[in-house]
Amino acid sequence: MMQPVLRIDGTEACALKGRVVLDRAKVLWTGGMLSIGLILGPFLFSWDAFLVFLLLTYTTMLIGHSVGMHRMMIHRSFACPKWLERSLIYAGLLVGVAGPCGIIKIHDLRDWAQRQKGCHDFFSHRRGFWRDLTWQLFYRFEFELPPKVTIEPGLADDPWIRFMERTWRLHQLLLALPLYYAGGLSWVVWGICIRVAVSTVGHWTITYFCHNPGPGRWRVEGAAVQASNLPLLGVLSHGECWHNNHHAFPESARIGLEKGQTDPAWRVIQGLQRLGLARKVGIPRPNDQRDDLIDVSEVV
């Protein structure tokens, strides 16, 4: 049996009842990045700025989001020295989706809702793609009967984490300074605005398709949402596209479990492990602890 979403107390909470409301902070932040990118990006295009965009986007998403925030910080599927933990979280902060505590709440509330017998379309991603993308980019969900979210003391009481949570948007300015001095305004627009916009849209696009019907070996009993694997997207998604595997084994640092399931983030974790920088690396729980899973490949 997989562990529950440990930061969530869903006693008397309901994943179905609530409303989707406009989030002004999201509109200003994400909308601003999108607008600047769409207006200025074509006029300030250069191949060197585009290369900066590609390198920063892939690196921050791979090292920061997939390895640092998702697999290490949220799921605790491996541990590492404090200096490295903070460095990985900082790289994830630079993706521009949310701060450390914010991304935990976004993720864990969604995980909890999807594991219930029923959940609102905001979490199940059942609506059309454009409606769902608009919701995730510019809206938030207000529960009628909300669950309680408690972030563990190691994170919630860490002064550095608290500071990063308060100031996460401002750190784009710190990155913008060397970009401006190295390449001018084009590097700033492509390396900050377009990168943040593409990273945010890309994150929710992969999330949408991973939570709609598609291929996958595992079914989680009692869960309202069953995840899918997205073939051919392993490199582009850093291995996050093998989401059917991840729903079945959230404790595993490796998400691409089958032959041919490319998982770049797992390769990074393996490298850290060889260097003695990653320990307590999680693997899929053994067969005798999978009573909540149905292996559909064995169903005739």
Side-chain angles (χ1 to χ4, degrees), residues 252-284:
S252 177
R254 182 181 182 181
I255 297 179
L257 299 175
E258 306 291 339
K259 183 178 180 180
Q261 293 182 344
T262 308
D263 190 350
W266 167 242
R267 296 302 181 189
V268 173
I269 296 168
Q270 277 187 309
L272 294 175
Q273 192 175 23
R274 292 190 188 101
L275 293 171
L277 295 174
R279 54 189 175 81
K280 298 181 180 178
V281 178
I283 59 174

Short mmCIF file of all heavy atoms in Angstrom, two decimals, residues 252-284:
data_model
loop_
_atom_site.label_atom_id
_atom_site.label_comp_id
_atom_site.label_asym_id
_atom_site.label_seq_id
_atom_site.Cartn_x
_atom_site.Cartn_y
_atom_site.Cartn_z
N SER A 252 9.30 6.36 -5.61
CA SER A 252 10.46 6.02 -6.43
C SER A 252 11.12 7.27 -7.03
O SER A 252 10.45 8.09 -7.66
CB SER A 252 10.05 5.07 -7.55
OG SER A 252 11.15 4.78 -8.39
N ALA A 253 12.45 7.37 -6.89
CA ALA A 253 13.18 8.46 -7.52
C ALA A 253 13.26 8.27 -9.02
O ALA A 253 13.45 9.23 -9.76
CB ALA A 253 14.59 8.54 -6.94
N ARG A 254 13.09 7.04 -9.46
CA ARG A 254 13.07 6.74 -10.90
C ARG A 254 11.63 6.65 -11.35
O ARG A 254 10.83 5.91 -10.77
CB ARG A 254 13.80 5.43 -11.18
CG ARG A 254 13.87 5.05 -12.64
CD ARG A 254 14.60 3.73 -12.82
NE ARG A 254 14.70 3.37 -14.24
CZ ARG A 254 15.28 2.26 -14.69
NH1 ARG A 254 15.81 1.40 -13.81
NH2 ARG A 254 15.33 2.02 -15.98
N ILE A 255 11.28 7.40 -12.40
CA ILE A 255 9.90 7.38 -12.91
C ILE A 255 9.80 6.57 -14.20
O ILE A 255 8.83 5.86 -14.42
CB ILE A 255 9.38 8.82 -13.12
CG1 ILE A 255 9.33 9.55 -11.76
CG2 ILE A 255 8.01 8.82 -13.77
CD1 ILE A 255 8.84 10.98 -11.84
N GLY A 256 10.81 6.64 -15.05
CA GLY A 256 10.83 5.82 -16.26
C GLY A 256 11.28 4.41 -15.92
O GLY A 256 12.47 4.10 -15.95
N LEU A 257 10.34 3.54 -15.58
CA LEU A 257 10.66 2.23 -15.00
C LEU A 257 10.84 1.13 -16.04
O LEU A 257 11.53 0.14 -15.78
CB LEU A 257 9.55 1.81 -14.02
CG LEU A 257 9.33 2.74 -12.82
CD1 LEU A 257 8.13 2.26 -12.01
CD2 LEU A 257 10.59 2.79 -11.95
N GLU A 258 10.21 1.26 -17.18
CA GLU A 258 10.24 0.19 -18.18
C GLU A 258 11.32 0.46 -19.23
O GLU A 258 11.81 1.57 -19.39
CB GLU A 258 8.86 0.08 -18.86
CG GLU A 258 7.69 -0.10 -17.91
CD GLU A 258 7.69 -1.44 -17.20
OE1 GLU A 258 8.34 -2.38 -17.72
OE2 GLU A 258 7.06 -1.55 -16.13
N LYS A 259 11.66 -0.59 -19.96
CA LYS A 259 12.65 -0.47 -21.02
C LYS A 259 12.19 0.57 -22.05
O LYS A 259 11.04 0.57 -22.48
CB LYS A 259 12.84 -1.82 -21.71
CG LYS A 259 13.91 -1.82 -22.80
CD LYS A 259 14.08 -3.21 -23.40
CE LYS A 259 15.14 -3.18 -24.50
NZ LYS A 259 15.33 -4.53 -25.11
N GLY A 260 13.08 1.47 -22.42
CA GLY A 260 12.76 2.50 -23.40
C GLY A 260 12.13 3.74 -22.83
O GLY A 260 11.89 4.70 -23.57
N GLN A 261 11.87 3.77 -21.51
CA GLN A 261 11.27 4.96 -20.89
C GLN A 261 12.39 5.88 -20.40
O GLN A 261 12.85 5.80 -19.27
CB GLN A 261 10.34 4.55 -19.75
CG GLN A 261 9.11 3.80 -20.22
CD GLN A 261 8.16 3.42 -19.10
OE1 GLN A 261 8.52 3.44 -17.91
NE2 GLN A 261 6.94 3.06 -19.45
N THR A 262 12.79 6.78 -21.27
CA THR A 262 13.91 7.68 -20.99
C THR A 262 13.58 8.61 -19.82
O THR A 262 12.51 9.22 -19.78
CB THR A 262 14.24 8.53 -22.24
OG1 THR A 262 14.41 7.65 -23.35
CG2 THR A 262 15.48 9.35 -22.02
N ASP A 263 14.52 8.72 -18.88
CA ASP A 263 14.28 9.49 -17.67
C ASP A 263 15.54 10.29 -17.30
O ASP A 263 16.35 9.86 -16.47
CB ASP A 263 13.91 8.53 -16.52
CG ASP A 263 13.41 9.24 -15.28
OD1 ASP A 263 13.52 10.48 -15.22
OD2 ASP A 263 12.90 8.57 -14.36
N PRO A 264 15.73 11.46 -17.93
CA PRO A 264 16.94 12.25 -17.67
C PRO A 264 17.13 12.63 -16.20
O PRO A 264 18.26 12.67 -15.71
CB PRO A 264 16.74 13.50 -18.54
CG PRO A 264 15.83 13.06 -19.64
CD PRO A 264 14.91 12.07 -19.00
N ALA A 265 16.03 12.94 -15.49
CA ALA A 265 16.16 13.32 -14.09
C ALA A 265 16.71 12.16 -13.26
O ALA A 265 17.50 12.37 -12.33
CB ALA A 265 14.81 13.78 -13.54
N TRP A 266 16.32 10.95 -13.59
CA TRP A 266 16.85 9.78 -12.89
C TRP A 266 18.35 9.65 -13.14
O TRP A 266 19.11 9.28 -12.24
CB TRP A 266 16.11 8.53 -13.32
CG TRP A 266 16.78 7.24 -12.90
CD1 TRP A 266 17.26 6.26 -13.71
CD2 TRP A 266 17.02 6.80 -11.56
NE1 TRP A 266 17.80 5.24 -12.98
CE2 TRP A 266 17.67 5.55 -11.64
CE3 TRP A 266 16.76 7.34 -10.30
CZ2 TRP A 266 18.06 4.83 -10.52
CZ3 TRP A 266 17.16 6.63 -9.17
CH2 TRP A 266 17.79 5.39 -9.29
N ARG A 267 18.80 9.98 -14.35
CA ARG A 267 20.23 9.91 -14.65
C ARG A 267 21.00 10.92 -13.79
O ARG A 267 22.11 10.63 -13.33
CB ARG A 267 20.47 10.20 -16.13
CG ARG A 267 19.87 9.17 -17.07
CD ARG A 267 20.40 7.78 -16.80
NE ARG A 267 19.86 6.80 -17.71
CZ ARG A 267 20.02 5.49 -17.58
NH1 ARG A 267 20.71 5.01 -16.54
NH2 ARG A 267 19.49 4.66 -18.46
N VAL A 268 20.41 12.09 -13.57
CA VAL A 268 21.05 13.08 -12.71
C VAL A 268 21.15 12.54 -11.28
O VAL A 268 22.20 12.65 -10.63
CB VAL A 268 20.26 14.41 -12.72
CG1 VAL A 268 20.83 15.38 -11.69
CG2 VAL A 268 20.30 15.04 -14.11
N ILE A 269 20.07 11.95 -10.77
CA ILE A 269 20.08 11.40 -9.41
C ILE A 269 21.08 10.27 -9.30
O ILE A 269 21.81 10.16 -8.29
CB ILE A 269 18.66 10.93 -9.02
CG1 ILE A 269 17.71 12.13 -8.97
CG2 ILE A 269 18.68 10.22 -7.67
CD1 ILE A 269 16.24 11.75 -8.89
N GLN A 270 21.17 9.42 -10.31
CA GLN A 270 22.17 8.36 -10.33
C GLN A 270 23.58 8.94 -10.25
O GLN A 270 24.44 8.43 -9.53
CB GLN A 270 22.05 7.52 -11.60
CG GLN A 270 21.00 6.42 -11.55
CD GLN A 270 21.08 5.54 -12.79
OE1 GLN A 270 21.09 6.03 -13.92
NE2 GLN A 270 21.13 4.24 -12.58
N GLY A 271 23.82 10.02 -11.00
CA GLY A 271 25.13 10.67 -10.97
C GLY A 271 25.45 11.20 -9.58
O GLY A 271 26.57 11.05 -9.08
N LEU A 272 24.47 11.83 -8.94
CA LEU A 272 24.67 12.33 -7.58
C LEU A 272 24.94 11.19 -6.61
O LEU A 272 25.77 11.32 -5.70
CB LEU A 272 23.43 13.11 -7.12
CG LEU A 272 23.12 14.41 -7.86
CD1 LEU A 272 21.80 15.00 -7.39
CD2 LEU A 272 24.25 15.43 -7.69
N GLN A 273 24.27 10.07 -6.82
CA GLN A 273 24.47 8.90 -5.97
C GLN A 273 25.90 8.36 -6.10
O GLN A 273 26.54 8.01 -5.11
CB GLN A 273 23.45 7.83 -6.32
CG GLN A 273 23.36 6.68 -5.33
CD GLN A 273 22.24 5.70 -5.67
OE1 GLN A 273 21.81 5.61 -6.81
NE2 GLN A 273 21.76 4.98 -4.68
N ARG A 274 26.40 8.30 -7.32
CA ARG A 274 27.76 7.81 -7.54
C ARG A 274 28.80 8.73 -6.89
O ARG A 274 29.87 8.28 -6.46
CB ARG A 274 28.05 7.70 -9.04
CG ARG A 274 27.24 6.63 -9.74
CD ARG A 274 27.74 6.40 -11.17
NE ARG A 274 26.87 5.52 -11.91
CZ ARG A 274 25.96 5.91 -12.80
NH1 ARG A 274 25.82 7.20 -13.06
NH2 ARG A 274 25.22 5.03 -13.43
N LEU A 275 28.47 10.02 -6.82
CA LEU A 275 29.38 10.98 -6.20
C LEU A 275 29.23 11.03 -4.69
O LEU A 275 29.91 11.81 -4.01
CB LEU A 275 29.12 12.38 -6.77
CG LEU A 275 29.48 12.59 -8.25
CD1 LEU A 275 28.97 13.94 -8.73
CD2 LEU A 275 30.99 12.48 -8.46
N GLY A 276 28.33 10.23 -4.15
CA GLY A 276 28.08 10.21 -2.72
C GLY A 276 27.23 11.37 -2.23
O GLY A 276 27.19 11.66 -1.03
N LEU A 277 26.53 12.04 -3.16
CA LEU A 277 25.73 13.22 -2.82
C LEU A 277 24.24 12.92 -2.71
O LEU A 277 23.48 13.78 -2.28
CB LEU A 277 25.96 14.31 -3.86
CG LEU A 277 27.38 14.88 -3.92
CD1 LEU A 277 27.51 15.86 -5.08
CD2 LEU A 277 27.73 15.57 -2.60
N ALA A 278 23.82 11.74 -3.11
CA ALA A 278 22.42 11.34 -2.98
C ALA A 278 22.36 10.03 -2.21
O ALA A 278 23.11 9.09 -2.49
CB ALA A 278 21.76 11.18 -4.35
N ARG A 279 21.50 9.97 -1.22
CA ARG A 279 21.34 8.77 -0.41
C ARG A 279 19.85 8.53 -0.17
O ARG A 279 19.02 9.36 -0.52
CB ARG A 279 22.09 8.91 0.92
CG ARG A 279 21.72 10.16 1.70
CD ARG A 279 22.61 10.41 2.89
NE ARG A 279 22.30 11.67 3.54
CZ ARG A 279 21.30 11.86 4.41
NH1 ARG A 279 20.53 10.82 4.76
NH2 ARG A 279 21.07 13.05 4.93
N LYS A 280 19.54 7.40 0.43
CA LYS A 280 18.15 7.02 0.69
C LYS A 280 17.32 7.16 -0.59
O LYS A 280 16.21 7.72 -0.59
CB LYS A 280 17.53 7.88 1.79
CG LYS A 280 18.21 7.73 3.15
CD LYS A 280 17.52 8.60 4.21
CE LYS A 280 18.20 8.46 5.56
NZ LYS A 280 17.58 9.32 6.60
N VAL A 281 17.87 6.66 -1.69
CA VAL A 281 17.22 6.78 -2.99
C VAL A 281 16.07 5.79 -3.08
O VAL A 281 16.26 4.58 -2.94
CB VAL A 281 18.23 6.56 -4.14
CG1 VAL A 281 17.53 6.64 -5.48
CG2 VAL A 281 19.36 7.59 -4.05
N GLY A 282 14.87 6.31 -3.27
CA GLY A 282 13.67 5.46 -3.26
C GLY A 282 13.53 4.62 -4.51
O GLY A 282 13.89 5.05 -5.62
N ILE A 283 12.99 3.43 -4.33
CA ILE A 283 12.68 2.53 -5.44
C ILE A 283 11.23 2.08 -5.29
O ILE A 283 10.63 2.23 -4.23
CB ILE A 283 13.62 1.31 -5.46
CG1 ILE A 283 13.50 0.52 -4.14
CG2 ILE A 283 15.07 1.75 -5.70
CD1 ILE A 283 14.28 -0.78 -4.12
N PRO A 284 10.63 1.51 -6.36
CA PRO A 284 9.24 1.04 -6.23
C PRO A 284 9.10 0.01 -5.12
O PRO A 284 9.95 -0.87 -4.96
CB PRO A 284 8.97 0.41 -7.61
CG PRO A 284 9.89 1.14 -8.54
CD PRO A 284 11.13 1.40 -7.74
#
